[in-house]
Amino acid sequence: MYQKATIVGNLGADPELRSTSGGLQVCNLRVAVAGEKKTDETTWWRVFCFRQPAEYASTYLKKGALVLCEGKIKQSKWKDKQGQERVSLELIANTVKGLSRVGDQASGKEQRPSQPPPAKERQAWRDQSDEEIPY
């Protein structure tokens, strides 16, 4: 089976980059996806991305930025301090793209794609073989 989900929403906090004990970079994002109508509730997603998408998110994205995340949905269950069972939706993202600049939303300017990485970084992506790309 194949599963792919796409969410578009705003970051509720700055991305949090960390490394595992094995040196793998992981970035945590909190994304708010508004309902279709003003009366609909906002859905909060926990988004995890690894390697290059993690570096991109931590470098170029800030709280309030409009982002597109694609990946696989994971549902987590746990018990809170009061003993009630809770459920959260998580997305393990293969792709993370900034769709606007944070300042554009606050100033009311038209939303534009975020700046691409510097030419040096783009060239590094072209130089990698298919075997080196993590997904």
Side-chain angles (χ1 to χ4, degrees):
M1 284 196 224
Y2 181 76
Q3 179 192 114
K4 182 177 181 178
T6 302
I7 62 170
V8 176
N10 295 91
L11 290 181
D14 287 339
E16 299 171 11
L17 183 67
R18 59 185 171 84
S19 294
T20 64
S21 58
L24 178 66
Q25 289 191 323
V26 180
C27 191
N28 300 337
L29 307 171
R30 290 185 286 177
V31 180
V33 178
E36 292 182 25
K37 300 176 185 175
K38 289 185 179 182
T39 57
D40 289 347
E41 200 172 292
T42 298
T43 303
W44 284 92
W45 289 80
R46 292 174 15 147
V47 177
F48 299 96
C49 52
F50 303 90
R51 297 183 179 90
Q52 262 55 25
E55 288 179 35
Y56 169 81
S58 67
T59 304
Y60 296 103
L61 301 177
K62 299 290 179 211
K63 179 180 178 179
L66 184 64
V67 295
L68 177 142
C69 302
E70 292 180 330
K72 181 179 177 180
I73 296 174
K74 180 181 175 188
Q75 183 176 354
S76 294
K77 294 181 183 182
W78 76 94
K79 289 189 178 184
D80 64 11
K81 293 178 182 177
Q82 290 77 30
Q84 293 181 343
E85 204 167 280
R86 300 285 186 172
V87 177
S88 70
L89 296 174
E90 299 174 352
L91 185 75
I92 310 303
N94 297 358
T95 303
V96 175
K97 295 180 183 178
L99 300 179
S100 69
R101 294 183 188 151
V102 176
D104 290 348
Q105 293 176 353
S107 64
K109 292 181 183 177
E110 181 180 331
Q111 294 180 356
R112 291 170 284 172
S114 61
Q115 294 293 325
K120 183 178 175 182
E121 291 179 27
R122 287 195 309 265
Q123 185 61 39
W125 272 96
R126 289 186 194 118
D127 294 342
Q128 290 182 340
S129 70
D130 287 343
E131 294 173 1
E132 293 173 335
I133 298 175
Y135 41 84

